[in-house]
């Protein structure tokens, strides 16, 4: 097999003059935030993504997509878990930094729904003075009121399921 997947634990030796590849960590993922001052320096952008869905099949599809795109990601199965993961990753450094470039958030979930989670993530970002993550709703709820409620909660983009991976890919490329 000629294709190398980022989740494999072995890495080829470095060629002279080539930077070391970033290590990939198995879930649960601890993301090392970028060094301050590197954003916008023209470096290759590899988004850090939080994938949130209570449906195991949907979450698995998102994980397969993230792996194929060589994204650094974490998973959560409900809004509370997403909030806790967000806070934990933000506080990984001192001072805290934005832990994820994107959050792909299902809206209808048990324990804590995506709108409540989004509101609490936004409140935490404000409290800690963090740059905002782009929160993308991935939901089966398609009414204008659902979209307005999501916008009011702090959702940046709204995609109705079934979502094409090409649409998600375009969102990441626009960052």
């Amino acid at each position: 097999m000629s294709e190398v997947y980022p989740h494999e634990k072995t890495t080829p030796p470095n060629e002279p003059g080539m930077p070391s590849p970033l290590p990939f960590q198995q879930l649960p993922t601890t993301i090392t935030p970028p060094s301050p001052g590197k954003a916008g320096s023209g470096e290759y952008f590899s988004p850090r993504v939080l994938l949130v869905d209570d449906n195991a099949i949907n979450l698995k599809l998102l994980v397969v997509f993230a792996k194929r795109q060589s994204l650094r990601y974490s998973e959560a199965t409900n809004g509370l878990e997403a909030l806790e993961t967000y806070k934990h990753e933000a506080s990984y450094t001192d001072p805290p930094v934005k832990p994820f470039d994107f959050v792909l958030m299902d809206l209808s979930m048990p324990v804590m729904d995506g709108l409540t989670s989004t509101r609490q993530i936004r409140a935490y970002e404000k409290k800690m003075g963090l740059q905002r993550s782009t929160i993308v709703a991935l939901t089966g709820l398609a009414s204008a009121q659902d979209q307005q409620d999501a916008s009011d909660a702090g959702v940046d983009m709204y995609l109705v399921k079934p979502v094409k991976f090409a649409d998600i890919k375009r969102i990441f490329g626009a960052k």
Side-chain angles (χ1 to χ4, degrees):
M1 180 178 241
S2 63
E3 190 171 358
V4 177
Y5 291 93
H7 63 280
E8 293 178 352
K9 293 188 178 196
T10 59
T11 56
N14 290 344
E15 293 182 14
M18 296 300 292
S20 298
L22 293 175
F24 184 86
Q25 298 176 344
Q26 293 291 3
L27 294 175
T29 303
T30 299
I31 295 176
T32 305
S35 302
K38 289 204 174 192
S41 65
E43 293 181 6
Y44 174 74
F45 177 66
S46 177
R48 295 160 295 153
V49 183
L50 177 57
L51 308 171
V52 188
D53 202 309
D54 66 314
N55 181 296
I57 294 169
N58 290 344
L59 188 56
K60 185 163 181 72
L61 289 170
L62 289 171
V63 166
V64 167
F65 170 78
K67 287 180 179 180
R68 286 186 180 161
Q69 299 302 311
S70 299
L71 302 174
R72 295 173 290 164
Y73 67 94
S74 292
E75 302 172 39
T77 59
N78 63 62
L80 181 59
E81 194 177 308
L83 176 63
E84 290 172 350
T85 299
Y86 194 95
K87 287 180 174 181
H88 177 266
E89 296 298 332
S91 64
Y92 189 70
T93 62
D94 189 23
V97 296
K98 175 175 82 169
F100 299 101
D101 298 297
F102 296 93
V103 178
L104 301 183
M105 180 79 75
D106 184 18
L107 297 185
S108 301
M109 295 180 289
V111 183
M112 180 185 286
D113 65 70
L115 294 181
T116 303
S117 183
T118 296
R119 280 191 286 276
Q120 291 193 20
I121 286 171
R122 293 303 187 212
Y124 180 77
E125 288 170 333
K126 187 173 184 177
K127 174 184 170 188
M128 302 304 289
L130 301 178
Q131 184 182 8
R132 283 172 54 118
S133 294
T134 299
I135 299 179
V136 181
L138 301 178
T139 182
L141 305 173
S143 76
Q145 185 60 54
D146 292 327
Q147 292 183 38
Q148 184 60 52
D149 291 346
S151 178
D152 293 346
V155 168
D156 297 296
M157 297 179 195
Y158 197 94
L159 298 176
V160 178
K161 294 177 184 176
V163 175
K164 294 177 182 151
F165 286 145
D167 294 336
I168 297 172
K169 200 172 174 180
R170 273 194 290 280
I171 290 169
F172 293 160
K175 190 70 177 161

